[in-house]
Amino acid sequence: IATGSSSRGLSKLLEEELVNYPENIIIVDETDFDKIRDLVKKQDVNILIGSSDGKFITEKDGIPLIRIGFPIHDHIGAQRQVNIGYEGSLLFLDKITNTLLDLKHNNYREDLYNKYYKKLASSHNTE
């Protein structure tokens, strides 16, 4: 979880709310996208959620970005997207789920090729 501004109580509040999660959650404030990109690579992140400024990480590292918040300056219609309440929460969950499904399907053939064909072919070449 990262923010570019200084948020005195944010880290403490998030740590209290996320105490029961087994994952190692990192909370960083007053940061920039270079630092975020370093953390994303170290933590092997598979999806980004945030403003359009995250697109540079997507362009460099191929990690999909779900655009939400402000600013969204590279997509049309962001000002009309519902992001609050029950409907907004469901739409947001749909975006996350569809992005993960796309990620799975985009890598499916390559993963199978590497796991089965390439592995099998290399074992036959060494015999």
Side-chain angles (χ1 to χ4, degrees):
I1 301 170
T3 179
S5 60
S6 175
S7 304
R8 274 191 276 164
L10 181 64
S11 291
K12 185 178 181 199
L13 176 70
L14 288 171
E15 286 169 1
E16 290 170 3
E17 290 294 321
L18 301 171
V19 71
N20 293 322
Y21 282 82
E23 294 86 8
N24 181 23
I25 296 172
I26 299 170
I27 302 166
V28 182
D29 66 354
E30 282 192 286
T31 192
D32 60 23
F33 277 95
D34 288 332
K35 170 90 176 188
I36 293 170
R37 183 174 179 225
D38 289 342
L39 289 169
V40 162
K41 289 163 67 173
K42 284 180 191 169
Q43 296 298 314
D44 197 25
V45 170
N46 62 354
I47 193 170
L48 300 169
I49 299 171
S51 71
S52 290
D53 296 333
K55 71 180 180 178
F56 299 109
I57 297 173
T58 298
E59 290 171 0
K60 293 175 183 174
D61 301 309
I63 301 167
L65 170 66
I66 296 175
R67 289 162 177 80
I68 191 166
F70 182 81
I72 299 178
H73 46 70
D74 63 337
H75 281 187
I76 303 299
Q79 73 279 10
R80 292 187 302 275
Q81 291 179 355
V82 177
N83 292 316
I84 59 171
Y86 182 78
E87 183 180 351
S89 298
L90 286 178
L91 291 171
F92 183 54
L93 287 173
D94 288 346
K95 286 181 193 178
I96 293 171
T97 302
N98 286 325
T99 301
L100 290 171
L101 286 170
D102 287 344
L103 189 61
K104 176 187 182 276
H105 291 294
N106 289 342
N107 296 320
Y108 179 75
R109 290 184 187 278
E110 183 179 351
D111 290 345
L112 286 177
Y113 175 83
N114 290 335
K115 185 174 182 178
Y116 296 107
Y117 179 77
K118 209 172 187 182
K119 187 177 177 182
L120 184 62
S122 66
S123 69
H124 285 299
N125 290 337
T126 59
E127 293 176 359

